[in-house]
Amino acid sequence: MPKQKTKKAMAKRFKKTGTGKFKRSSAGGAHILTGKSRKQKRSMASSAMVSKADEKRISTYWHK
């Protein structure tokens, strides 16, 4: 049987931490930044962790 392959869309959007959790980037920081406050833009620059509910869905596509 062939090896399971990771969905490339998932590999580009998420990183797996050493403890097995998934790290994601914040949404909304790509364009139309003039209407957003400095604080909002700063918080979008940092990464966040994926919630437990979404983590189950992501892990089904992750085979690295």
Side-chain angles (χ1 to χ4, degrees):
M1 190 160 167
K3 282 198 246 179
Q4 291 278 321
K5 289 192 175 178
T6 300
K7 287 273 184 189
K8 289 301 166 186
M10 291 290 166
K12 289 169 190 172
R13 286 169 175 81
F14 303 102
K15 292 237 163 67
K16 201 168 189 181
T17 62
T19 56
K21 293 179 181 178
F22 289 97
K23 202 164 74 166
R24 64 170 176 84
S25 58
S26 301
H31 60 101
I32 315 176
L33 299 172
T34 52
K36 292 165 186 162
S37 66
R38 285 180 186 174
K39 185 178 180 180
Q40 199 175 0
K41 286 186 265 193
R42 256 198 328 273
S43 68
M44 283 188 283
S46 62
S47 58
M49 300 306 286
V50 173
S51 66
K52 275 193 174 179
D54 294 328
E55 207 170 283
K56 286 181 184 175
R57 250 184 321 131
I58 292 166
S59 61
T60 59
Y61 297 112
W62 198 272
H63 299 291
K64 278 189 174 180

